DNA sequence: GGAATAGTGTCTCTGAGACAGTATAGT
DNA sequence: ACTATACTGTCTCAGAGACACTATTCC
């Protein structure tokens, strides 16, 4: 019985995931999601948060949630291992340090990992776990205020929009996005202050904070545009 | 490592769940969800389908899907047991037979089980599992064609509507419901035939079949009416 | 005919999306 | 001035819901 954690963040407009380099067989030296065995006296949630902190130094601060269990008898060549997979979403923290047991932890672009010719091969069935985790995050962006977990404490609506654009892989209309976000009660609250424009100029953007400490349901949901046909 | 299955069906317009009477300690004689230990050589999905068939005689026919894992260290007084919970949805089959190991299996109304003063106490944390499973089913009704799994091979739109009304606990407008269902591509297909009216008379209703063998996503979703405020 | 259920038509409101236009910064 | 970004306004269309109306059955 193990837990594995898909930790997503946004860096330079790209969706990235925290990977560790395995220090043990099997898959020694390969990249994998952080995770490990559940201790007898802890809940699944506690195990996920603990393993994440131990192996990567990341504090998920309660923003961690289970999304699927994987139990194929052959998924681990050593023995039967059932894993409960978790999703955590954090702002860009700069560097991610290696964990207590000296494994390296680093951020890797999700697009490359999930493309037809992956940049890196992942251990076990972690490519499937990552795929499902990213899909869970995309859906969560539609129905909850989780997007604010990707950005810092104060942010502009452009930054919030870039979260959706990176996760969904499509551009969104700035005006329509603004209207929808401001129409959702308690999604964001204005601070009254403005941010300095970027190096390319432009009007200074208003700064907002998350409208609630906890995750809230968006009503109406901010629906992802559906593909035509099918 | 166990699996537990929430099997929902509709009988006389009420949502019911399959429960077994436990034949072993702990909770001997109490009611519980069907389920049991995972064998070393089977997937989680296989384990769920097997336990369901063994204990209740129900064949979920592939319509069975995991929705959450439960791993509180104290949820089973004997030992640490992590369970992966599954949701299955079946038409009213009449009686549910007891399983191979002679335990009784029966249908119990969900409303009574989840009310403040439950009609029956459930073993372990199965009241929470049931609660989550019912909520998963309610959401699945919004976004997928799963409602057709509650009814027989051919059905009227009134019968399909009563699935939603029972699961959501609210009445729906027949005209609007009809329009939305028929507007969803591949949700249902007409047979051209009509059903005999009920004992209270009324116009004969057209018969439909499920529009697809597999579960499909509804686009647009058939959204559950949201509560006002908050 | 009356009651009950099935099905159709219509009106209104909300939200999504496209897109034009205005405001304020850097160069 | 020009450009880039932030923000606002407007038009159109799709879907949801309320509800009136017609159709067909049983009593």
């Amino acid at each position: 019985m193990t837990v594995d954690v898909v930790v997503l963040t946004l860096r330079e407009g790209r969706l990235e995931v925290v990977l560790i380099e395995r220090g043990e067989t099997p898959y020694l030296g390969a990249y994998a999601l952080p995770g490990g065995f559940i201790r007898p006296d802890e809940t699944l949630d506690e195990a996920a948060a603990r393993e994440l902190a131990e192996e990567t130094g990341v504090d998920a601060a309660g923003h961690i949630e289970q999304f699927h269990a994987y139990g194929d008898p052959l998924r681990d060549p050593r023995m039967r291992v059932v894993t409960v997979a978790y999703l955590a979403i954090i702002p860009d923290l700069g560097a991610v340090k290696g964990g207590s047991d000296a494994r390296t932890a680093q951020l890797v672009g999700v697009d490359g990992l999930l493309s037809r010719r992956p940049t890196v091969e992942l251990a076990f069935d972690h490519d499937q776990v990552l795929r499902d985790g990213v899909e869970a995050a995309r859906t969560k962006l539609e129905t909850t205020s989780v997007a604010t977990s990707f950005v810092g404490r104060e942010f502009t609506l452009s930054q919030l929009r870039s979260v959706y654009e990176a996760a969904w892989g499509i551009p969104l209309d700035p005006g329509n996005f603004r209207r929808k976000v401001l129409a959702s009660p308690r999604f964001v609250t204005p601070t009254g202050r403005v941010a300095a424009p970027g190096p390319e100029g432009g009007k200074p953007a208003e700064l907002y904070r998350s409208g609630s400490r906890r995750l809230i349901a968006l009503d109406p949901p901010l629906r992802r545009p559906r593909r035509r046909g099918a």
Side-chain angles (χ1 to χ4, degrees), chain A:
Chain A
M1 283 297 324
T2 62
V3 289
D4 288 309
V5 189
V6 175
V7 189
L8 297 178
T9 192
L10 209 66
R11 214 169 42 158
E12 293 163 15
R14 298 183 344 145
L15 196 63
E16 305 202 325
V17 60
V18 175
L19 296 182
I20 59 157
E21 199 178 340
R22 284 184 57 79
E24 306 165 8
T25 56
Y27 295 102
L28 187 131
Y31 286 88
L33 298 170
F37 289 93
I38 300 164
R39 295 184 181 162
D41 59 342
E42 66 188 354
T43 66
L44 301 178
D45 291 10
E46 288 163 359
R50 177 183 54 74
E51 286 287 351
L52 177 59
E54 281 181 11
E55 296 193 340
T56 70
V58 169
D59 177 12
H63 291 112
I64 184 164
E65 188 181 308
Q66 146 189 168
F67 65 89
H68 202 77
Y70 299 84
D72 189 286
L74 303 176
R75 61 178 294 278
D76 188 317
R78 292 166 296 181
M79 55 189 275
R80 175 62 182 267
V81 176
V82 173
T83 193
V84 178
Y86 275 77
L87 175 66
I89 285 172
I90 58 172
D92 183 9
L93 302 173
V96 175
K97 345 169 213 325
S100 56
D101 39 2
R103 291 183 249 191
T104 69
Q106 57 187 279
L107 290 170
V108 180
V110 164
D111 281 351
L113 288 169
L114 295 186
S115 67
R116 211 152 309 170
R117 293 261 170 250
T119 51
V120 191
E121 291 280 348
L122 294 184
F124 307 109
D125 53 359
H126 284 187
D127 63 321
Q128 185 61 47
V129 177
L130 173 60
R131 214 175 292 274
D132 295 346
V134 169
E135 184 54 36
R138 285 178 175 146
T139 300
K140 245 182 135 180
L141 283 174
E142 295 192 61
T143 56
T144 75
S145 59
V146 75
T148 57
S149 303
F150 275 103
V151 293
R153 211 176 69 84
E154 300 199 339
F155 49 87
T156 67
L157 293 188
S158 291
Q159 289 170 341
L160 193 65
R161 178 165 47 86
S162 72
V163 171
Y164 283 90
E165 291 178 329
W168 292 349
I170 49 173
L172 298 177
D173 183 280
N176 293 336
F177 180 81
R178 178 190 182 79
R179 248 192 308 104
K180 290 201 279 189
V181 168
L182 296 183
S184 276
R186 292 167 50 78
F187 191 0
V188 298
T189 55
T191 64
R193 295 181 299 105
V194 296
E200 308 226 303
K203 181 174 172 176
E206 296 168 15
L207 280 169
Y208 292 84
R209 264 199 297 268
S210 179
S212 164
R213 204 142 301 184
R214 312 210 160 281
L215 219 56
I216 61 169
L218 295 185
D219 187 41
L222 217 158
R223 281 192 77 201
R224 160 164 42 152
R226 305 301 189 224
R227 303 265 165 269
R228 280 281 154 249

